[in-house]
């Protein structure tokens, strides 16, 4: 297994719309294993393939306390969104050390393939529901900061670019 490099906002590649997975090949299986390892290593609760510069519709999530139950969603589709929405602080591995409020449906039902190619339905609530919506946004080329006001977004963009300049020194 290997750790993958996570793209940092405002990298334009984060704005790529991912393509559906046609077949679960050996390289997809390896990618998924590496995504799970990278998510755990970075203390994240979710990671979309977009964030590691692979533009295919794959996400990995683990909101468990033990961090031992990764869930793989391939070609996820939203079947139903709860009409009630709640605003909560979100963060993202592509926007380090930044948290801000985003409104999300409190429950969501999705259909997706797992890593073995089996399609199943999931009913997500609370943090899991937020995470599913956040990660599915990545596949559409959307980052959570895109929901914030232009003023806040610009502030975050400036902060991230400064951080990246410092790291590249
Ligand atoms: Ni994210």
């Amino acid at each position: 297994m290997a750790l993958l490099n996570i793209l940092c906002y405002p990298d334009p590649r984060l704005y790529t719309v991912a393509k559906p997975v046609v077949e679960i090949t050996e390289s997809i299986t390896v990618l998924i294993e590496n995504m799970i390892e990278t998510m755990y290593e970075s203390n994240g609760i979710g990671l979309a393939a977009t964030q590691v510069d692979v533009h295919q519709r794959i996400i990995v999530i683990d909101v468990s306390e033990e961090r031992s139950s990764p869930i793989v969603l391939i070609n996820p589709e939203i079947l139903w969104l709860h009409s009630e929405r709640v605003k909560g602080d979100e963060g993202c591995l592509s926007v380090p050390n930044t948290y801000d409020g985003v409104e999300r449906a409190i429950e969501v039902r999705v259909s997706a393939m797992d890593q073995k190619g089996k399609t199943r339905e999931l009913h997500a609530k609370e943090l899991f529901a937020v995470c599913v919506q956040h990660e599915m946004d990545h596949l559409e080329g959307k980052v959570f900061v895109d929901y914030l006001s232009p003023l806040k977004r610009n502030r975050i963009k400036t902060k991230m670019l400064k951080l990246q300049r410092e790291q590249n020194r």
Side-chain angles (χ1 to χ4, degrees):
M1 291 211 270
L3 290 179
L4 304 167
N5 185 42
I6 299 175
L7 298 177
C8 257
Y9 181 80
D11 193 307
R13 290 171 288 182
L14 287 170
Y15 289 90
T16 313
V17 177
K19 292 195 167 67
V21 172
V22 180
E23 191 193 348
I24 302 171
T25 57
E26 176 64 23
S27 71
I28 296 274
T29 303
V30 171
L31 169 72
I32 290 168
E33 283 171 7
N34 290 340
M35 282 174 64
I36 292 169
E37 196 190 2
T38 304
M39 169 178 72
Y40 286 144
E41 187 64 30
S42 318
N43 292 314
I45 56 171
L47 186 69
T50 308
Q51 294 175 274
V52 295
D53 202 22
V54 177
H55 303 285
Q56 301 215 50
R57 304 183 82 82
I58 304 168
I59 63 188
V60 298
I61 292 178
D62 190 350
V63 292
S64 72
E65 289 268 325
E66 305 76 24
R67 309 196 47 71
S68 56
S69 337
I71 292 167
V72 177
L73 302 180
I74 301 171
N75 301 339
E77 302 276 355
I78 301 258
L79 301 174
W80 170 83
L81 283 168
H82 200 292
S83 57
E84 193 182 333
R85 296 163 70 86
V86 71
K87 197 177 201 174
D89 269 359
E90 283 183 28
C92 179
L93 292 176
S94 292
V95 198
N97 304 316
T98 305
Y99 304 89
D100 215 318
V102 177
E103 211 177 82
R104 302 281 188 188
I106 58 165
E107 288 180 31
V108 56
R109 196 157 56 235
V110 291
S111 149
M113 257 192 313
D114 64 13
Q115 57 271 56
K116 298 208 170 85
K118 194 170 169 235
T119 301
R120 56 195 178 140
E121 281 187 24
L122 287 167
H123 191 106
K125 294 178 183 183
E126 297 162 358
L127 183 61
F128 186 25
V130 171
C131 195
V132 165
Q133 293 168 78
H134 174 117
E135 300 310 330
M136 284 185 72
D137 271 353
H138 277 301
L139 303 180
E140 299 303 326
K142 195 162 190 180
V143 183
F144 85 96
V145 297
D146 295 325
Y147 291 106
L148 308 177
S149 70
L151 181 73
K152 274 188 177 174
R153 196 163 52 241
N154 276 324
R155 211 176 276 161
I156 292 167
K157 200 179 278 182
T158 307
K159 186 174 97 174
M160 288 300 135
L161 289 171
K162 185 166 174 268
L163 198 75
Q164 286 158 37
R165 271 198 306 275
E166 281 166 6
Q167 280 167 349
N168 291 334
R169 236 175 238 158

